[in-house]
Amino acid sequence: MKPLGVLLSLTVTAVGALWWTTPASYPFGARDRVTVSLSHLFEHDVGGAMTVAAGLAGLVVALLSGRPNPLVKAGAIVQVLFFGGVMSDAGVMSVLGYVMGLSLPVALAAAVVVPVVRACARGRIWGYVALAALVVAGAAVAAFLGGALWAYAGNVTAGLRSYAGRIAWTLADMAAFAAWVWITFRLFGGALPRWAGPVQARRWGRVATVGAALCPLPYALYRLTWLTPWPTDISGPIDLPLRLQGLMLAFAAVTAAVLTLGLISRWGEVFPRWIPLLRGRPVPVPLPVALGGAVAGACCLASPGLAVNAVERGELWTLLLWPYPLWGVLLGAAVLAYWLRRRPGGGYPAASTGA
């Protein structure tokens, strides 16, 4: 814990000094291409000075973390708030959305193709029939949608390349935020309160999980309008690649909702039969905790900038469309409840009892 905090704080201090003394190196401020952030509101002198101060304060907290006291714990919380609020932006959710939009179709195809190939290897008749159907379906998709799919992938990758430098700072801030969340968690480690017991966590965790699963659905409906004659956010004509982009983003949002429900479902504890190679095995507790925690953290990082931007633009309705503040809290609570129920010694055996 201490080496991580020391290394991180020294790096932060160096970056802050660079921003403070070299205005051209500062990626935020008025010239920032990402405006859904708090850092868009201040320039290098303020941003650099705050970052240096955060780095030096973090160094003190890290060095004293061996013997935590209330002041050290408060300092760790300040670090979490700085990286999770002041220096955060909503770009991290855009990255997650587009990465999921690109990767989910591939994962879905793999989940279908792998068992078919295995069935063929075992000489099953249904495997050969299914393989032939997949080849025909693949050829049809390539013939009718191949160009549109290629253009869609090109649009997304071009956008990611265009924002690569800015995305790097977003991911760096997310890494610092995650590190300080972990350090703070360790500093506050100890006996868990009564509401953190497996039985209690099952009760309030179910409510939090259902609420978190509902949060991405408004965005899914919003992007599905790109498949209609009345697309949102599009002023000119909309082509097929753009419609596919809207479909994939909606698919990613719906998938996020379904995966969230896995935190209170049997298949969130034991891999279902349709997953190749893993079916029937217990789901490792760190897997959903890490993935769900990452999304919850990303929602929290996106919240301050989104709220400020909504107020500036007079478009508070966007907080209903992208309910990141509520989503982050609910999903974080849902993941915490899942961990409390399934952690070693804290609940029932993962492979023997359903949720």
Side-chain angles (χ1 to χ4, degrees):
M1 183 171 63
K2 180 183 294 186
L4 173 62
V6 169
L7 179 60
L8 174 61
S9 298
L10 289 175
T11 303
V12 169
T13 304
V15 171
L18 176 65
W19 288 347
W20 199 355
T21 58
T22 311
S25 68
Y26 187 63
F28 310 115
R31 64 187 182 90
D32 188 5
R33 298 174 66 185
V34 177
T35 59
V36 188
S37 64
L38 296 186
S39 58
H40 177 67
L41 303 178
F42 46 81
E43 297 302 326
H44 79 100
D45 50 350
V46 176
M50 288 194 302
T51 304
V52 168
L56 295 176
L59 183 60
V60 173
V61 171
L63 292 175
L64 297 178
S65 60
R67 291 186 175 182
N69 56 56
L71 189 59
V72 172
K73 294 178 180 179
I77 293 174
V78 170
Q79 294 292 314
V80 171
L81 294 177
F82 178 74
F83 292 105
V86 178
M87 300 305 294
S88 65
D89 63 71
V92 64
M93 291 303 294
S94 299
V95 174
L96 288 179
Y98 281 103
V99 169
M100 287 185 66
L102 285 173
S103 60
L104 284 176
V106 177
L108 183 61
V112 174
V113 171
V114 170
V116 170
V117 172
R118 292 183 66 187
C120 292
R122 295 175 179 177
R124 305 287 177 83
I125 299 299
W126 72 264
Y128 294 109
V129 174
L131 182 60
L134 287 175
V135 170
V136 173
V141 169
F144 294 101
L145 296 176
L149 289 172
W150 185 256
Y152 158 68
N155 290 342
V156 174
T157 54
L160 291 176
R161 285 197 304 268
S162 175
Y163 281 86
R166 184 59 177 80
I167 290 173
W169 286 115
T170 296
L171 296 179
D173 178 75
M174 186 175 185
F177 172 72
W180 276 110
V181 168
W182 171 248
I183 292 172
T184 304
F185 175 77
R186 294 292 301 273
L187 287 174
F188 280 85
L192 295 174
R194 290 190 60 185
W195 57 262
V199 176
Q200 294 87 346
R202 179 192 296 274
R203 187 180 304 115
W204 56 261
R206 185 174 297 274
V207 176
T209 302
V210 173
L214 294 174
C215 287
L217 296 183
Y219 179 76
L221 294 175
Y222 190 67
R223 285 296 174 244
L224 284 176
T225 62
W226 288 11
L227 304 180
T228 72
W230 309 278
T232 55
D233 291 342
I234 305 296
S235 56
I238 182 170
D239 56 9
L240 184 55
L242 201 54
R243 294 186 189 278
L244 288 174
Q245 183 171 326
L247 177 62
M248 291 302 154
L249 290 174
F251 181 48
V254 172
T255 301
V258 173
L259 291 177
T260 300
L261 293 176
L263 296 173
I264 55 172
S265 304
R266 172 67 174 173
W267 56 267
E269 299 165 12
V270 178
F271 286 109
R273 295 181 57 83
W274 56 268
I275 296 183
L277 306 178
L278 297 175
R279 55 186 175 187
R281 298 183 180 182
V283 176
V285 176
L287 178 61
V289 169
L291 294 178
V295 176
C299 289
C300 294
L301 290 172
S303 297
L306 179 68
V308 170
N309 186 263
V311 172
E312 282 186 330
R313 296 164 62 94
E315 297 177 349
L316 294 180
W317 60 270
T318 57
L319 295 176
L320 299 176
L321 180 61
W322 294 288
Y324 294 150
L326 179 62
W327 190 8
V329 171
L330 290 177
L331 183 56
V335 171
L336 176 62
Y338 179 89
W339 176 76
L340 289 171
R341 289 191 298 107
R342 295 200 60 208
R343 65 193 176 92
Y348 48 82
S352 62
T353 306

Short mmCIF file of all heavy atoms in Angstrom, two decimals, residues 75-113:
data_model
loop_
_atom_site.label_atom_id
_atom_site.label_comp_id
_atom_site.label_asym_id
_atom_site.label_seq_id
_atom_site.Cartn_x
_atom_site.Cartn_y
_atom_site.Cartn_z
N GLY A 75 -6.99 12.62 4.72
CA GLY A 75 -6.15 12.96 3.57
C GLY A 75 -6.37 12.01 2.41
O GLY A 75 -6.37 12.43 1.25
N ALA A 76 -6.56 10.72 2.70
CA ALA A 76 -6.83 9.75 1.64
C ALA A 76 -8.18 10.04 0.97
O ALA A 76 -8.31 9.94 -0.26
CB ALA A 76 -6.82 8.34 2.22
N ILE A 77 -9.17 10.42 1.76
CA ILE A 77 -10.47 10.76 1.20
C ILE A 77 -10.37 11.98 0.28
O ILE A 77 -10.98 12.04 -0.79
CB ILE A 77 -11.50 11.01 2.33
CG1 ILE A 77 -11.78 9.70 3.08
CG2 ILE A 77 -12.79 11.59 1.77
CD1 ILE A 77 -12.66 9.87 4.28
N VAL A 78 -9.56 12.95 0.68
CA VAL A 78 -9.35 14.14 -0.16
C VAL A 78 -8.73 13.74 -1.50
O VAL A 78 -9.10 14.27 -2.55
CB VAL A 78 -8.46 15.16 0.58
CG1 VAL A 78 -8.03 16.28 -0.36
CG2 VAL A 78 -9.20 15.74 1.78
N GLN A 79 -7.80 12.81 -1.48
CA GLN A 79 -7.19 12.33 -2.72
C GLN A 79 -8.25 11.68 -3.63
O GLN A 79 -8.28 11.91 -4.85
CB GLN A 79 -6.09 11.32 -2.41
CG GLN A 79 -4.89 11.89 -1.70
CD GLN A 79 -4.09 12.84 -2.57
OE1 GLN A 79 -3.81 12.57 -3.71
NE2 GLN A 79 -3.73 13.98 -2.00
N VAL A 80 -9.12 10.88 -3.05
CA VAL A 80 -10.19 10.25 -3.83
C VAL A 80 -11.08 11.31 -4.46
O VAL A 80 -11.45 11.22 -5.64
CB VAL A 80 -11.02 9.30 -2.93
CG1 VAL A 80 -12.26 8.81 -3.67
CG2 VAL A 80 -10.17 8.11 -2.48
N LEU A 81 -11.44 12.33 -3.68
CA LEU A 81 -12.30 13.39 -4.19
C LEU A 81 -11.61 14.22 -5.27
O LEU A 81 -12.24 14.65 -6.24
CB LEU A 81 -12.74 14.30 -3.04
CG LEU A 81 -13.63 13.65 -1.98
CD1 LEU A 81 -13.93 14.63 -0.85
CD2 LEU A 81 -14.93 13.16 -2.60
N PHE A 82 -10.30 14.42 -5.14
CA PHE A 82 -9.58 15.21 -6.13
C PHE A 82 -9.55 14.51 -7.48
O PHE A 82 -9.91 15.08 -8.51
CB PHE A 82 -8.16 15.50 -5.65
CG PHE A 82 -7.32 16.26 -6.64
CD1 PHE A 82 -7.53 17.61 -6.85
CD2 PHE A 82 -6.33 15.63 -7.37
CE1 PHE A 82 -6.77 18.33 -7.77
CE2 PHE A 82 -5.56 16.33 -8.29
CZ PHE A 82 -5.78 17.68 -8.49
N PHE A 83 -9.11 13.24 -7.47
CA PHE A 83 -9.02 12.51 -8.73
C PHE A 83 -10.38 12.05 -9.23
O PHE A 83 -10.58 11.88 -10.44
CB PHE A 83 -8.08 11.31 -8.57
CG PHE A 83 -6.65 11.70 -8.38
CD1 PHE A 83 -6.05 11.61 -7.13
CD2 PHE A 83 -5.89 12.17 -9.44
CE1 PHE A 83 -4.73 11.99 -6.94
CE2 PHE A 83 -4.56 12.55 -9.26
CZ PHE A 83 -3.99 12.45 -8.01
N GLY A 84 -11.33 11.84 -8.31
CA GLY A 84 -12.65 11.40 -8.72
C GLY A 84 -13.59 12.52 -9.08
O GLY A 84 -14.64 12.27 -9.67
N GLY A 85 -13.22 13.75 -8.73
CA GLY A 85 -14.11 14.87 -9.03
C GLY A 85 -13.44 15.99 -9.79
O GLY A 85 -13.80 16.28 -10.93
N VAL A 86 -12.44 16.60 -9.20
CA VAL A 86 -11.82 17.79 -9.79
C VAL A 86 -11.17 17.48 -11.14
O VAL A 86 -11.34 18.21 -12.11
CB VAL A 86 -10.79 18.39 -8.82
CG1 VAL A 86 -10.10 19.60 -9.46
CG2 VAL A 86 -11.46 18.80 -7.51
N MET A 87 -10.42 16.39 -11.23
CA MET A 87 -9.67 16.08 -12.44
C MET A 87 -10.34 15.02 -13.31
O MET A 87 -9.73 14.48 -14.23
CB MET A 87 -8.26 15.61 -12.07
CG MET A 87 -7.44 16.62 -11.30
SD MET A 87 -7.33 18.24 -12.13
CE MET A 87 -6.37 17.81 -13.58
N SER A 88 -11.58 14.70 -13.04
CA SER A 88 -12.27 13.65 -13.80
C SER A 88 -13.06 14.26 -14.94
O SER A 88 -13.26 15.46 -15.02
CB SER A 88 -13.21 12.88 -12.87
OG SER A 88 -14.24 13.74 -12.40
N ASP A 89 -13.51 13.39 -15.85
CA ASP A 89 -14.39 13.83 -16.93
C ASP A 89 -15.23 12.66 -17.40
O ASP A 89 -14.98 11.50 -17.04
CB ASP A 89 -13.59 14.43 -18.10
CG ASP A 89 -12.67 13.42 -18.76
OD1 ASP A 89 -13.18 12.53 -19.45
OD2 ASP A 89 -11.45 13.53 -18.59
N ALA A 90 -16.24 12.96 -18.23
CA ALA A 90 -17.17 11.93 -18.70
C ALA A 90 -16.62 11.14 -19.87
O ALA A 90 -17.29 10.23 -20.36
CB ALA A 90 -18.51 12.58 -19.07
N GLY A 91 -15.42 11.48 -20.33
CA GLY A 91 -14.86 10.76 -21.47
C GLY A 91 -14.66 9.29 -21.22
O GLY A 91 -14.71 8.48 -22.15
N VAL A 92 -14.46 8.91 -19.96
CA VAL A 92 -14.21 7.50 -19.66
C VAL A 92 -15.43 6.66 -20.00
O VAL A 92 -15.29 5.50 -20.45
CB VAL A 92 -13.83 7.35 -18.17
CG1 VAL A 92 -14.98 7.77 -17.25
CG2 VAL A 92 -13.41 5.92 -17.88
N MET A 93 -16.64 7.20 -19.86
CA MET A 93 -17.83 6.44 -20.21
C MET A 93 -17.96 6.29 -21.72
O MET A 93 -18.44 5.26 -22.21
CB MET A 93 -19.07 7.12 -19.63
CG MET A 93 -19.16 7.06 -18.12
SD MET A 93 -19.13 5.37 -17.46
CE MET A 93 -20.67 4.72 -18.08
N SER A 94 -17.54 7.30 -22.47
CA SER A 94 -17.55 7.18 -23.92
C SER A 94 -16.61 6.07 -24.37
O SER A 94 -16.93 5.27 -25.26
CB SER A 94 -17.14 8.51 -24.56
OG SER A 94 -18.05 9.53 -24.22
N VAL A 95 -15.43 6.02 -23.75
CA VAL A 95 -14.47 4.97 -24.09
C VAL A 95 -15.06 3.59 -23.81
O VAL A 95 -15.00 2.68 -24.65
CB VAL A 95 -13.16 5.16 -23.31
CG1 VAL A 95 -12.22 4.00 -23.56
CG2 VAL A 95 -12.49 6.47 -23.70
N LEU A 96 -15.65 3.42 -22.62
CA LEU A 96 -16.24 2.14 -22.27
C LEU A 96 -17.36 1.75 -23.23
O LEU A 96 -17.47 0.60 -23.65
CB LEU A 96 -16.77 2.18 -20.84
CG LEU A 96 -15.74 2.18 -19.71
CD1 LEU A 96 -16.44 2.26 -18.37
CD2 LEU A 96 -14.86 0.96 -19.78
N GLY A 97 -18.20 2.73 -23.58
CA GLY A 97 -19.31 2.46 -24.48
C GLY A 97 -18.86 1.98 -25.85
O GLY A 97 -19.37 0.99 -26.38
N TYR A 98 -17.88 2.66 -26.42
CA TYR A 98 -17.42 2.29 -27.75
C TYR A 98 -16.61 1.00 -27.73
O TYR A 98 -16.70 0.19 -28.68
CB TYR A 98 -16.61 3.43 -28.36
CG TYR A 98 -17.48 4.52 -28.92
CD1 TYR A 98 -17.66 5.72 -28.24
CD2 TYR A 98 -18.16 4.35 -30.12
CE1 TYR A 98 -18.47 6.72 -28.74
CE2 TYR A 98 -18.97 5.34 -30.63
CZ TYR A 98 -19.13 6.53 -29.94
OH TYR A 98 -19.95 7.51 -30.43
N VAL A 99 -15.83 0.78 -26.67
CA VAL A 99 -15.09 -0.48 -26.59
C VAL A 99 -16.05 -1.66 -26.47
O VAL A 99 -15.88 -2.70 -27.12
CB VAL A 99 -14.12 -0.44 -25.40
CG1 VAL A 99 -13.54 -1.83 -25.12
CG2 VAL A 99 -12.99 0.53 -25.68
N MET A 100 -17.09 -1.49 -25.65
CA MET A 100 -18.09 -2.55 -25.53
C MET A 100 -18.84 -2.74 -26.83
O MET A 100 -19.14 -3.87 -27.24
CB MET A 100 -19.07 -2.23 -24.40
CG MET A 100 -18.50 -2.38 -23.01
SD MET A 100 -19.73 -2.12 -21.71
CE MET A 100 -20.81 -3.54 -21.99
N GLY A 101 -19.15 -1.64 -27.51
CA GLY A 101 -19.85 -1.74 -28.79
C GLY A 101 -19.07 -2.50 -29.84
O GLY A 101 -19.65 -3.16 -30.71
N LEU A 102 -17.73 -2.42 -29.77
CA LEU A 102 -16.89 -3.16 -30.71
C LEU A 102 -16.64 -4.60 -30.26
O LEU A 102 -16.57 -5.51 -31.09
CB LEU A 102 -15.54 -2.45 -30.87
CG LEU A 102 -15.53 -1.16 -31.71
CD1 LEU A 102 -14.17 -0.50 -31.62
CD2 LEU A 102 -15.87 -1.46 -33.16
N SER A 103 -16.49 -4.80 -28.96
CA SER A 103 -16.08 -6.12 -28.48
C SER A 103 -17.23 -7.09 -28.24
O SER A 103 -17.06 -8.30 -28.41
CB SER A 103 -15.27 -5.97 -27.19
OG SER A 103 -16.06 -5.35 -26.19
N LEU A 104 -18.41 -6.58 -27.89
CA LEU A 104 -19.51 -7.48 -27.58
C LEU A 104 -19.94 -8.35 -28.75
O LEU A 104 -20.18 -9.56 -28.57
CB LEU A 104 -20.69 -6.68 -27.03
CG LEU A 104 -20.55 -6.21 -25.59
CD1 LEU A 104 -21.72 -5.33 -25.17
CD2 LEU A 104 -20.43 -7.39 -24.65
N PRO A 105 -20.06 -7.81 -29.97
CA PRO A 105 -20.41 -8.70 -31.09
C PRO A 105 -19.39 -9.81 -31.30
O PRO A 105 -19.75 -10.94 -31.62
CB PRO A 105 -20.46 -7.74 -32.29
CG PRO A 105 -20.73 -6.41 -31.72
CD PRO A 105 -20.02 -6.41 -30.40
N VAL A 106 -18.11 -9.49 -31.09
CA VAL A 106 -17.07 -10.51 -31.23
C VAL A 106 -17.22 -11.58 -30.16
O VAL A 106 -17.13 -12.78 -30.43
CB VAL A 106 -15.67 -9.86 -31.15
CG1 VAL A 106 -14.58 -10.92 -31.22
CG2 VAL A 106 -15.50 -8.84 -32.27
N ALA A 107 -17.47 -11.14 -28.92
CA ALA A 107 -17.65 -12.10 -27.82
C ALA A 107 -18.89 -12.97 -28.04
O ALA A 107 -18.88 -14.18 -27.79
CB ALA A 107 -17.77 -11.35 -26.49
N LEU A 108 -19.97 -12.35 -28.53
CA LEU A 108 -21.19 -13.10 -28.80
C LEU A 108 -20.97 -14.13 -29.90
O LEU A 108 -21.42 -15.28 -29.80
CB LEU A 108 -22.32 -12.15 -29.18
CG LEU A 108 -23.70 -12.78 -29.43
CD1 LEU A 108 -24.18 -13.46 -28.15
CD2 LEU A 108 -24.70 -11.71 -29.87
N ALA A 109 -20.26 -13.73 -30.94
CA ALA A 109 -19.96 -14.66 -32.03
C ALA A 109 -19.11 -15.83 -31.53
O ALA A 109 -19.34 -16.98 -31.90
CB ALA A 109 -19.26 -13.93 -33.17
N ALA A 110 -18.14 -15.51 -30.67
CA ALA A 110 -17.29 -16.58 -30.13
C ALA A 110 -18.10 -17.55 -29.28
O ALA A 110 -17.89 -18.77 -29.33
CB ALA A 110 -16.17 -15.97 -29.30
N ALA A 111 -19.06 -17.01 -28.51
CA ALA A 111 -19.89 -17.87 -27.66
C ALA A 111 -20.76 -18.80 -28.50
O ALA A 111 -21.14 -19.88 -28.04
CB ALA A 111 -20.77 -17.01 -26.76
N VAL A 112 -21.07 -18.42 -29.73
CA VAL A 112 -21.87 -19.26 -30.62
C VAL A 112 -20.98 -20.23 -31.41
O VAL A 112 -21.30 -21.41 -31.56
CB VAL A 112 -22.70 -18.38 -31.58
CG1 VAL A 112 -23.41 -19.26 -32.61
CG2 VAL A 112 -23.70 -17.54 -30.81
N VAL A 113 -19.87 -19.73 -31.90
CA VAL A 113 -19.03 -20.52 -32.80
C VAL A 113 -18.29 -21.62 -32.05
O VAL A 113 -18.19 -22.76 -32.54
CB VAL A 113 -18.03 -19.61 -33.53
CG1 VAL A 113 -16.99 -20.45 -34.29
CG2 VAL A 113 -18.77 -18.69 -34.50
#
